[in-house]
Structure formats: C-alpha cells, structure tokens
Amino acid sequence: MQGILRIENASKSFQAPEGGVIRALDNVSLTVAHNEFLTLLGPSGCGKTTLLRAVSGFEDLDSGEIYIDGQPVSDQPAHKRPVNTVFQRYALFPHLTVERNVAYSLEVRGIAKAEIRERVGNMLELVGLAGMGARKIGQLSGGQQQRVALARSLVAQPKILLLDEPLSALDKNLRHKMQQELKILQHELGISFIFVTHDQEEALVMSDRIAVLNGGTIQQLDAPEELYRRPGNEFVARFIGESNLLDATVVSVEGASCDVVLTDGTVIRDCPVNGLKQGDPAKVLIRPENLVESVGQSSADERAGHEISGTVSESFFAGTDYHLVLACQGLPPVRASLRAGPGTSHHTIGEQTSLFVPHDAVHLIPERGAPA
Amino acid sequence: MRRKMSWRNLFLSVYGWLFLVFIYVPILLITVFSFNSNPVNMMIWQGFTFDWYRTIFGFPTELNELTLYVESTDQLYHAVLNSLTVALITTAVSTVLGTSVALAVARFRFRLKNFYRALMFMPMIMPDIILGIALLIFFVSFGFGLGLHTIIIGHCTFLSSYVFIVVSARISDMDDSLEEASADLGADGWTTFKRVTLPLIAPGVIGGAMLAFIISMDDLVITYFISGVDSTTLPVHIYGMLRRGIKPEINAIATVMLAFSFIIASVGLYMRSRKK
C-alpha cells in the first residue's frame, strides 16, 4: 500500500536518567492511508509520542526511514516537513493574537497579506471562532485554545495532521464534543490524521484504525471493532475495554470451532478456533457485556457447555446495567454487565447463579509461545 | 495573647520604619544639602542656591574658587563621557553574550553543562576587589595597556553573568514547545528566534541590559584597578575628588546621578509591568 505516510523499521533508544537504555521504538513499521484517521494508542512510555515526534521531525530515529507521500524525510528538519502538529498543551504563542497565531505559518512562508487574511478568516470560521481573531490567547477558554491550535495547524494545509493527546486537558463533556468535531473535520478536509492518546474509549470512537503500542512495538493494528472483538494478544485484550481473561486448554477441534476446558473444569463449546490445535493453551476472552442471564435461555440441554456458574460476590445497579462479579471455584473473578431490561433482576450477594456464554461471544487468544 | 501580638506588630512597624529611614534619609539629606548655599560647612543650612549645580554644569557663579573641586568642568564631563561610553558598549556586548549563553544552556544538551552554568555564576560571587586585581594582572601581563578598552572588557566579564541570570529566569518560564510549534509551522531557527523566542524573553533581556548599564555606570572597585590615566570614569573621578575633602558640589553631582538612575529604573519597572 502506497499511503501518505510509511514508516519502515523505525527504532529509537533513549539513555534513561537512572542509566540503562530505554527502547522507545523497536523496529516499528506502519503505513497510513490517504484520508485515514489513525490512532496511536498505548500506556505512557509505550513509544506513541516518540513515533509522532519522529514523523514531525523533533526526534531523529536511530535506524529506519519515514516516507511522507513517497519522499524519505529523515534528512529534512522539522520546519521543512509537510506535516503539522497540534500539541498537547497547544503551544499557542502568548504574545500574538488569535489571528496572528493562525496566520503564523503563512506569514513565515511570505504569503501575501490579502491571501493570509482570507485563509485565516475561513479557518477561524471552520473551527467556530469567527469574530474572535483580535483576542489574546490568555483571554480564551481551554476549548477555544484547542480550536485555535487546530486552526493554526490546518491553515498550513499539511499532508498529515499530527495530534498529540490534544483533548486530554479538556473536561469530559467538551472532550466528547471535540471528538465528534475532529472526526467530522477530518472527513470534510480529507487529510490524514494521526492521533496519539492513552484513552482507549477516545481511540475507539474516533479512529479508522488503531495501532496499539506497548514497549516500543506495535501490538496490533486494526479497525476498532476488530481490536475490541478479536484482540491479538493479552495486552490488547486488557488495554481495550473491560475483559474477563480465563486460562484454558483446547480439548477438541472440529472445523472452525473448538471446545476448551477452563482451569476449574468447566467446558465451553463451539468457540471460534482461531488457528489453535488440540492441546494448545489459550486465553479465553469474554467481554462482561456479552454474558447473559441463564434463566430464560431455552432448555438446559442447549445451555450445557455455554455456562459459567458461581457465587455473586459483588452486585450493583448502574442505570443501564447491573454489574456483577461472580466468584467461581478455580477461576479468577468473572465480571458481567447485564443489560437492565424488564427481564433482568437484581442479584443479591451470596446468591448462586449461572451466566450464559453465547458461543460467538468467546474469543480465544493463543498463549504466547504457542504456535499460532 | 492579644497583647503579645500587638508587641510583635509594634516591633515589626518600628523595624519597618527604621529600614526606610536608613535607606531614604541619607538620600534625602544629600538632595537637600545640594541646594544649601553654605560653602564652608554644608551640614548647616544657610540659604537656598543653585550655585553647586551651576558649577558642575560650568555656569559662572560668584563662589570662591577655593571652595570648589572643579577648576574646569572639562574633567568632569570627560569622566561622564567615559562612563557613558563604557556603559553603552558594555551593555550591548554583555546583553548579547549573556542572552546567548542563557539560551544555549537552556536549549541544548551538552557535556559539562552544569559546570558552565556554575562558571557563569562565579563572577557574581567573586569579591570585586579580587576580580579587579585579577583583571589588572591579566591585562598587564598580556600587554593590553590600560584604557577604556580594558574597562569595557573588564565590565563585560562580570556583567554578562548578570544578564545571563536575569535572562535564564525568564527562559525557564517559557514553554519549550513554543519553539517546536514555530518550527512545526515552517519557521527556521532564525525566524523562530526573531518571532517567538526574542519577543517572549524580551522583558528579561531588557531588564538584564538595564541592570548591566546601571552597574557599569556605578562600578568603582573593579574600574579603579583597570582604568588608565586618561580613562577615568565618573565614579573613579568622584572618588578622586573626595580625597581632597568633601565639598558641597559633591551633593549636586550625587543628586544628578540619583535622578539619572531613578529615571532608568522607572523605565525598567514600567517595561516589566507591561510584559503580559
């Protein structure tokens, strides 16, 4: 794929202050398509910001190459690269007005005054700040500053817009609003966005694809739904969404489905096989919201092999859902979110209960080291 | 308890007032006496006169020549001119040097960085008299020949440190990512300096420059050692005059210098107040 951005075998190490070497990027390769919203997601220190800074030109790679629109850019200093960044704390120039901030990249390039005025005006309108051009940065709210930062980067018409956790300083409501606006803006402008965040919910909402990073390597690069439903490894499964991860062994394989046995002896039937063979160890991923109450599920025969039983150890009502924790002999605690509908009832602590596991709700993750 | 508090408050107000008295009464006295017409004992008020100001500015007076230091005002003017020359050149050089070093130390990572930082502080804590003697020995042994140039070099050595410290404080308040943002938006290093860095650190740079100017104008100890015969600055000249006894003109000179410093400091405070 000849995308707008291609990163090949990027590696970067830092000298840790305590001595020793931190591998911030370990042989990372990645291609970003035209007009794609790609998110780099991971915990702090996973390398996502380093990767972004390598693209913008603020970090030199130890090895590897970055191509923007087919051109290698390793030798280009930051100010010559056709990308722009929205910084985490916006980095707006406090001595300039909103208008002059947005105009900065155009002024620096020596574009004619009349054209600058027009483009800045249009851009301020686009981000919803029309009429605020004469204000000082200090007079703006956090959300407005965010918009100025966005306008300032976009007015330069970058080939890629890089966003370094730009929403982390905003309060929750504003953040949700900006997430939607950013997504719409990206769609309208048709520019590729690379968005860095540690907030998995944010990543799921906004992205076309998400690259999950940890320890300087890409753990998985996929569309949000795929990542959520079929995480490639335990880290991704735990990092994205709530999860129950249970140790299991494959006992029999039949075509595309298999049966597994959990550590407490419970058998779960008809799981998607995911390349596993008989006798392979695996992690069984069951999302809490995919578990259903057994009561009301047809016959006992049909339920057999699709149930987890235990004692309710925690139970509370959270509006849309009942949250339960089931303590099972020989298993880690199992979390369940039961949709609060007419049929569901509150479970009391200490109650014995069974939860139904729909066969398509199970995802098997091959254990590390096992043949995939 | 109340009583104890009020004792403490009384002590603090007395202390506060004494503090102000010891600072400002001498200055007030010197200003008042500069208008005292008594030529013999300037501590005894005789009448109001501008004569002392007239003599230092070279206007004719009816004063007895013997009561005066200033046979001709040329020497005094020469000293003032020397002081201004030294102060202006020194300010320009040390502002550029001090600011550059402050930027380098703040922006780049290099070996022995903290060592260089400490080196920049050294001239501030070194006693003036030692710095003066050291510079004198250095100039003489390298055959510089004393003159205005040695005073300028000497002043630059320690005034760069003052500028460095003032500007460093300002830079540490500045968000590093602003310069990255500028580069990201297409500005090269020089454009970034001109459009972002300098405007943001300007209050520090101006403050440092004014401090350098005032200290250079005011310095006696170091200048005393490294000034040549013809390169007397105002403080050195006044010191020379004092060796012939304290005469009333000195009050007028002091008051003029005071007014001058006051104006510079006021401008400085004004610039600081509008930094945001």
Side-chain angles (χ1 to χ4, degrees):
Chain A
M1 180 168 64
Q2 175 67 22
I4 187 76
L5 174 74
R6 202 164 87 243
I7 298 169
E8 281 181 0
N9 309 103
S11 292
K12 172 82 185 175
S13 301
F14 290 110
Q15 210 72 39
E18 316 84 47
V21 172
I22 300 168
R23 302 217 70 176
L25 293 176
D26 191 356
N27 209 20
V28 171
S29 295
L30 174 70
T31 304
V32 180
H34 287 273
N35 196 10
E36 183 176 18
F37 197 121
L38 181 113
T39 298
L40 304 177
L41 174 68
S44 50
C46 71
K48 57 190 193 296
T49 297
T50 308
L51 189 59
L52 196 77
R53 288 173 63 82
V55 175
S56 57
F58 297 126
E59 223 54 89
D60 290 328
L61 294 175
D62 295 339
S63 63
E65 183 57 87
I66 294 172
Y67 301 88
I68 297 175
D69 213 5
Q71 300 298 312
V73 294
S74 284
D75 295 334
Q76 274 181 28
H79 70 269
K80 291 197 173 147
R81 297 193 186 185
V83 298
N84 287 102
T85 307
V86 175
F87 290 83
Q88 188 166 15
R89 281 175 298 136
Y90 318 140
L92 299 172
F93 306 124
H95 60 299
L96 301 177
T97 59
V98 168
E99 207 156 33
R100 293 286 311 283
N101 262 280
V102 177
Y104 191 86
S105 63
L106 306 178
E107 287 178 7
V108 162
R109 276 192 259 161
I111 286 168
K113 281 225 169 70
E115 193 191 335
I116 292 181
R117 203 170 311 126
E118 196 195 322
R119 281 169 71 175
V120 169
N122 290 343
M123 197 44 80
L124 285 176
E125 203 162 318
L126 183 70
V127 298
L129 289 176
M132 300 243 209
R135 299 231 185 144
K136 283 260 182 180
I137 297 306
Q139 297 171 314
L140 301 180
S141 69
Q144 288 168 333
Q145 293 191 14
Q146 167 71 71
R147 286 158 200 268
V148 176
L150 206 56
R152 185 179 68 173
S153 299
L154 287 172
V155 82
Q157 299 177 332
K159 290 183 174 167
I160 309 167
L161 185 71
L162 309 173
L163 303 106
D164 186 6
E165 305 208 23
L167 306 181
S168 59
L170 303 180
D171 66 57
K172 200 177 169 190
N173 288 334
L174 195 54
R175 199 156 71 221
H176 284 309
K177 190 155 170 266
M178 286 304 295
Q179 285 171 5
Q180 291 164 9
E181 284 188 26
L182 271 177
K183 184 69 193 151
I184 294 168
L185 199 62
Q186 186 263 333
H187 194 72
E188 279 177 9
L189 293 169
I191 312 177
S192 300
F193 279 27
I194 300 181
F195 189 93
V196 162
T197 185
H198 61 263
D199 182 339
Q200 43 103 8
E201 225 178 295
E202 191 165 282
L204 291 174
V205 170
M206 301 175 78
S207 320
D208 294 326
R209 283 191 305 159
I210 300 172
V212 181
L213 276 90
N214 190 40
T217 58
I218 295 182
Q219 304 290 317
Q220 190 171 0
L221 173 59
D222 254 318
E225 287 189 354
E226 191 65 18
L227 271 182
Y228 188 81
R229 296 202 178 136
R230 283 179 283 278
N233 62 35
E234 202 182 325
F235 175 81
V236 177
R238 284 190 195 281
F239 195 75
I240 295 181
E242 291 270 310
S243 57
N244 292 301
L245 280 168
L246 308 171
D247 285 314
T249 313
V250 178
V251 284
S252 67
V253 181
E254 205 182 301
S257 59
C258 64
D259 296 352
V260 295
V261 60
L262 303 181
T263 44
D264 69 337
T266 306
V267 175
I268 297 185
R269 288 197 195 133
D270 306 331
C271 307
V273 70
N274 200 17
L276 290 159
K277 290 183 207 61
Q278 193 171 342
D280 283 349
K283 287 271 186 197
V284 174
L285 167 69
I286 306 168
R287 298 289 183 188
E289 71 275 14
N290 289 339
L291 289 166
V292 227
E293 276 185 298
S294 284
V295 188
Q297 296 294 326
S298 43
S299 67
D301 264 4
E302 277 175 291
R303 296 206 302 262
H306 296 283
E307 258 185 342
I308 294 176
S309 306
T311 316
V312 177
S313 67
E314 279 176 49
S315 168
F316 47 91
F317 174 61
T320 53
D321 300 283
Y322 290 104
H323 293 295
L324 291 187
V325 177
L326 217 57
C328 315
Q329 201 78 48
L331 286 179
V334 174
R335 295 174 177 280
S337 300
L338 305 177
R339 202 73 186 163
T344 38
S345 55
H346 193 78
H347 290 265
T348 45
I349 292 174
E351 189 184 322
Q352 278 288 330
T353 195
S354 295
L355 293 171
F356 183 70
V357 187
H359 73 276
D360 54 356
V362 178
H363 173 65
L364 297 182
I365 300 170
E367 286 278 10
R368 202 187 294 268
Chain B
M1 192 65 197
R2 271 182 73 99
R3 202 177 158 77
K4 208 171 165 188
M5 283 300 285
S6 77
W7 272 112
R8 205 174 82 174
N9 284 350
L10 182 69
F11 171 77
L12 282 176
S13 11
V14 169
Y15 173 80
W17 280 108
L18 280 179
F19 180 78
L20 292 175
V21 163
F22 277 99
I23 288 184
Y24 286 104
V25 168
I27 294 173
L28 199 66
L29 280 181
I30 223 171
T31 314
V32 169
F33 287 140
S34 71
F35 297 105
N36 183 4
S37 63
N38 187 339
V40 183
N41 189 339
M42 65 181 191
M43 307 296 281
I44 297 166
W45 185 262
Q46 201 174 53
F48 185 86
T49 182
F50 276 120
D51 280 351
W52 309 118
Y53 289 94
R54 295 174 73 89
T55 48
I56 62 170
F57 288 111
F59 295 108
T61 59
E62 284 143 36
L63 294 165
N64 184 344
E65 294 277 320
L66 289 175
T67 62
L68 301 176
Y69 293 124
V70 185
E71 291 91 22
S72 84
T73 52
D74 285 357
Q75 275 184 318
L76 189 63
Y77 279 156
H78 194 61
V80 170
L81 199 65
N82 278 346
S83 272
L84 284 173
T85 310
V86 168
L88 284 174
I89 297 176
T90 305
T91 301
V93 173
S94 50
T95 301
V96 171
L97 277 179
T99 304
S100 316
V101 178
L103 280 170
V105 168
R107 290 285 173 266
F108 300 112
R109 297 160 139 230
F110 48 87
R111 279 176 55 220
L112 299 177
K113 178 160 145 174
N114 284 324
F115 172 71
Y116 287 112
R117 201 198 298 265
L119 271 189
M120 288 304 285
F121 276 92
M122 275 302 284
M124 273 191 77
I125 53 173
M126 205 173 341
D128 282 1
I129 193 156
I130 293 174
L131 196 58
I133 295 170
L135 282 167
L136 176 66
I137 293 170
F138 174 76
F139 288 139
V140 170
S141 52
F142 283 85
F144 272 83
L146 299 180
L148 281 187
H149 59 286
T150 49
I151 305 179
I152 290 168
I153 296 171
H155 282 194
C156 285
T157 56
F158 67 97
L159 291 177
S160 298
S161 296
Y162 282 82
V163 175
F164 169 81
I165 286 156
V166 175
V167 174
S168 288
R170 184 75 197 173
I171 294 175
S172 68
D173 285 348
M174 193 181 141
D175 184 356
D176 293 359
S177 59
L178 291 176
E179 287 174 352
E180 285 191 349
S182 172
D184 187 75
L185 293 164
D188 57 25
W190 174 242
T191 310
T192 296
F193 177 74
K194 222 170 42 184
R195 285 177 175 257
V196 175
T197 316
L198 192 57
L200 288 173
I201 63 169
V205 175
I206 294 169
M210 298 221 290
L211 189 67
F213 186 82
I214 289 179
I215 296 174
S216 172
M217 282 294 283
D218 184 53
D219 180 70
L220 171 66
V221 179
I222 296 168
T223 315
Y224 184 78
F225 286 98
I226 56 178
S227 58
V229 187
D230 289 332
S231 55
T232 310
T233 63
L234 187 59
V236 175
H237 185 71
I238 293 173
Y239 181 66
M241 284 159 63
L242 288 177
R243 284 193 294 192
R244 290 185 277 146
I246 293 183
K247 301 195 182 184
E249 288 161 285
I250 204 80
N251 294 329
I253 296 174
T255 306
V256 171
M257 284 178 74
L258 197 66
F260 185 72
S261 299
F262 183 75
I263 289 166
I264 295 211
S266 305
V267 173
L269 284 177
Y270 175 70
M271 303 287 264
R272 264 180 71 113
S273 71
R274 41 169 296 188
K275 68 181 172 183
K276 290 270 154 144

